[in-house]
mmCIF file of all heavy atoms in Angstrom:
data_model
loop_
_atom_site.group_PDB
_atom_site.id
_atom_site.type_symbol
_atom_site.label_atom_id
_atom_site.label_comp_id
_atom_site.label_asym_id
_atom_site.label_seq_id
_atom_site.Cartn_x
_atom_site.Cartn_y
_atom_site.Cartn_z
ATOM 1 N N MET A 628 17.277 1.166 -0.938
ATOM 2 C CA MET A 628 16.647 -0.147 -0.859
ATOM 3 C C MET A 628 15.144 -0.004 -0.642
ATOM 4 O O MET A 628 14.351 -0.782 -1.175
ATOM 5 C CB MET A 628 17.277 -0.964 0.274
ATOM 6 C CG MET A 628 16.625 -2.335 0.496
ATOM 7 S SD MET A 628 16.583 -3.372 -0.998
ATOM 8 C CE MET A 628 18.308 -3.855 -1.115
ATOM 9 N N LEU A 629 14.743 1.015 0.111
ATOM 10 C CA LEU A 629 13.315 1.259 0.289
ATOM 11 C C LEU A 629 12.647 1.571 -1.044
ATOM 12 O O LEU A 629 11.541 1.091 -1.326
ATOM 13 C CB LEU A 629 13.088 2.417 1.265
ATOM 14 C CG LEU A 629 11.629 2.836 1.468
ATOM 15 C CD1 LEU A 629 10.796 1.696 2.036
ATOM 16 C CD2 LEU A 629 11.542 4.065 2.377
ATOM 17 N N GLY A 630 13.313 2.371 -1.882
ATOM 18 C CA GLY A 630 12.746 2.686 -3.188
ATOM 19 C C GLY A 630 12.461 1.436 -3.996
ATOM 20 O O GLY A 630 11.398 1.305 -4.624
ATOM 21 N N VAL A 631 13.384 0.484 -3.985
ATOM 22 C CA VAL A 631 13.177 -0.785 -4.691
ATOM 23 C C VAL A 631 12.076 -1.586 -4.014
ATOM 24 O O VAL A 631 11.209 -2.176 -4.672
ATOM 25 C CB VAL A 631 14.493 -1.596 -4.723
ATOM 26 C CG1 VAL A 631 14.271 -2.957 -5.375
ATOM 27 C CG2 VAL A 631 15.573 -0.819 -5.463
ATOM 28 N N THR A 632 12.076 -1.600 -2.682
ATOM 29 C CA THR A 632 11.087 -2.372 -1.934
ATOM 30 C C THR A 632 9.674 -1.866 -2.178
ATOM 31 O O THR A 632 8.725 -2.654 -2.234
ATOM 32 C CB THR A 632 11.412 -2.314 -0.431
ATOM 33 O OG1 THR A 632 12.741 -2.792 -0.208
ATOM 34 C CG2 THR A 632 10.444 -3.165 0.372
ATOM 35 N N LEU A 633 9.510 -0.565 -2.349
ATOM 36 C CA LEU A 633 8.185 -0.014 -2.629
ATOM 37 C C LEU A 633 7.616 -0.599 -3.920
ATOM 38 O O LEU A 633 6.409 -0.879 -4.015
ATOM 39 C CB LEU A 633 8.264 1.513 -2.736
ATOM 40 C CG LEU A 633 8.626 2.268 -1.453
ATOM 41 C CD1 LEU A 633 8.715 3.763 -1.734
ATOM 42 C CD2 LEU A 633 7.632 1.991 -0.351
ATOM 43 N N ALA A 634 8.465 -0.779 -4.915
ATOM 44 C CA ALA A 634 8.013 -1.369 -6.175
ATOM 45 C C ALA A 634 7.678 -2.849 -5.999
ATOM 46 O O ALA A 634 6.663 -3.342 -6.518
ATOM 47 C CB ALA A 634 9.085 -1.192 -7.250
ATOM 48 N N LEU A 635 8.508 -3.580 -5.262
ATOM 49 C CA LEU A 635 8.269 -5.000 -5.028
ATOM 50 C C LEU A 635 6.987 -5.218 -4.235
ATOM 51 O O LEU A 635 6.196 -6.121 -4.531
ATOM 52 C CB LEU A 635 9.456 -5.611 -4.280
ATOM 53 C CG LEU A 635 10.798 -5.616 -5.003
ATOM 54 C CD1 LEU A 635 11.903 -6.047 -4.056
ATOM 55 C CD2 LEU A 635 10.761 -6.523 -6.224
ATOM 56 N N ALA A 636 6.770 -4.399 -3.211
ATOM 57 C CA ALA A 636 5.578 -4.533 -2.379
ATOM 58 C C ALA A 636 4.315 -4.244 -3.177
ATOM 59 O O ALA A 636 3.286 -4.902 -3.000
ATOM 60 C CB ALA A 636 5.671 -3.594 -1.179
ATOM 61 N N MET A 637 4.379 -3.266 -4.091
ATOM 62 C CA MET A 637 3.212 -2.956 -4.916
ATOM 63 C C MET A 637 2.903 -4.105 -5.866
ATOM 64 O O MET A 637 1.731 -4.438 -6.110
ATOM 65 C CB MET A 637 3.453 -1.664 -5.697
ATOM 66 C CG MET A 637 2.232 -1.155 -6.444
ATOM 67 S SD MET A 637 0.816 -0.795 -5.375
ATOM 68 C CE MET A 637 1.441 0.622 -4.444
ATOM 69 N N GLN A 638 3.939 -4.732 -6.406
ATOM 70 C CA GLN A 638 3.734 -5.887 -7.277
ATOM 71 C C GLN A 638 3.057 -7.016 -6.502
ATOM 72 O O GLN A 638 2.126 -7.655 -7.004
ATOM 73 C CB GLN A 638 5.073 -6.372 -7.837
ATOM 74 C CG GLN A 638 4.958 -7.603 -8.734
ATOM 75 C CD GLN A 638 6.303 -8.035 -9.298
ATOM 76 O OE1 GLN A 638 7.161 -7.198 -9.568
ATOM 77 N NE2 GLN A 638 6.502 -9.324 -9.466
ATOM 78 N N ALA A 639 3.503 -7.253 -5.266
ATOM 79 C CA ALA A 639 2.908 -8.300 -4.448
ATOM 80 C C ALA A 639 1.457 -7.976 -4.116
ATOM 81 O O ALA A 639 0.576 -8.846 -4.167
ATOM 82 C CB ALA A 639 3.710 -8.470 -3.157
ATOM 83 N N LEU A 640 1.172 -6.722 -3.784
ATOM 84 C CA LEU A 640 -0.177 -6.310 -3.423
ATOM 85 C C LEU A 640 -1.128 -6.428 -4.600
ATOM 86 O O LEU A 640 -2.272 -6.865 -4.467
ATOM 87 C CB LEU A 640 -0.141 -4.866 -2.920
ATOM 88 C CG LEU A 640 -1.420 -4.308 -2.313
ATOM 89 C CD1 LEU A 640 -1.763 -5.040 -1.024
ATOM 90 C CD2 LEU A 640 -1.263 -2.817 -2.043
ATOM 91 N N GLU A 641 -0.653 -6.048 -5.778
ATOM 92 C CA GLU A 641 -1.512 -6.081 -6.966
ATOM 93 C C GLU A 641 -1.866 -7.499 -7.376
ATOM 94 O O GLU A 641 -2.937 -7.736 -7.930
ATOM 95 C CB GLU A 641 -0.796 -5.356 -8.120
ATOM 96 C CG GLU A 641 -1.680 -5.040 -9.305
ATOM 97 C CD GLU A 641 -1.471 -6.005 -10.458
ATOM 98 O OE1 GLU A 641 -0.631 -6.895 -10.338
ATOM 99 O OE2 GLU A 641 -2.159 -5.847 -11.477
ATOM 100 N N LEU A 642 -0.996 -8.459 -7.042
ATOM 101 C CA LEU A 642 -1.248 -9.844 -7.412
ATOM 102 C C LEU A 642 -2.553 -10.338 -6.818
ATOM 103 O O LEU A 642 -3.322 -11.051 -7.461
ATOM 104 C CB LEU A 642 -0.085 -10.726 -6.950
ATOM 105 C CG LEU A 642 -0.201 -12.228 -7.210
ATOM 106 C CD1 LEU A 642 -0.266 -12.486 -8.703
ATOM 107 C CD2 LEU A 642 0.967 -12.969 -6.587
ATOM 108 N N ARG A 643 -2.829 -9.946 -5.550
ATOM 109 C CA ARG A 643 -4.039 -10.422 -4.886
ATOM 110 C C ARG A 643 -5.306 -9.933 -5.582
ATOM 111 O O ARG A 643 -6.332 -10.615 -5.584
ATOM 112 C CB ARG A 643 -4.053 -9.955 -3.426
ATOM 113 C CG ARG A 643 -5.224 -10.516 -2.642
ATOM 114 C CD ARG A 643 -5.256 -9.993 -1.232
ATOM 115 N NE ARG A 643 -5.486 -8.556 -1.188
ATOM 116 C CZ ARG A 643 -5.742 -7.884 -0.075
ATOM 117 N NH1 ARG A 643 -5.754 -8.515 1.070
ATOM 118 N NH2 ARG A 643 -5.943 -6.590 -0.096
ATOM 119 N N SER A 644 -5.257 -8.756 -6.178
ATOM 120 C CA SER A 644 -6.458 -8.172 -6.774
ATOM 121 C C SER A 644 -6.818 -8.809 -8.107
ATOM 122 O O SER A 644 -7.928 -8.640 -8.593
ATOM 123 C CB SER A 644 -6.270 -6.670 -6.968
ATOM 124 O OG SER A 644 -5.410 -6.414 -8.059
#
Side-chain angles (χ1 to χ4, degrees):
M628 176 55 74
L629 176 61
V631 176
T632 303
L633 294 178
L635 296 171
M637 188 60 67
Q638 178 179 326
L640 188 66
E641 193 258 359
L642 178 63
R643 185 183 65 170
S644 75

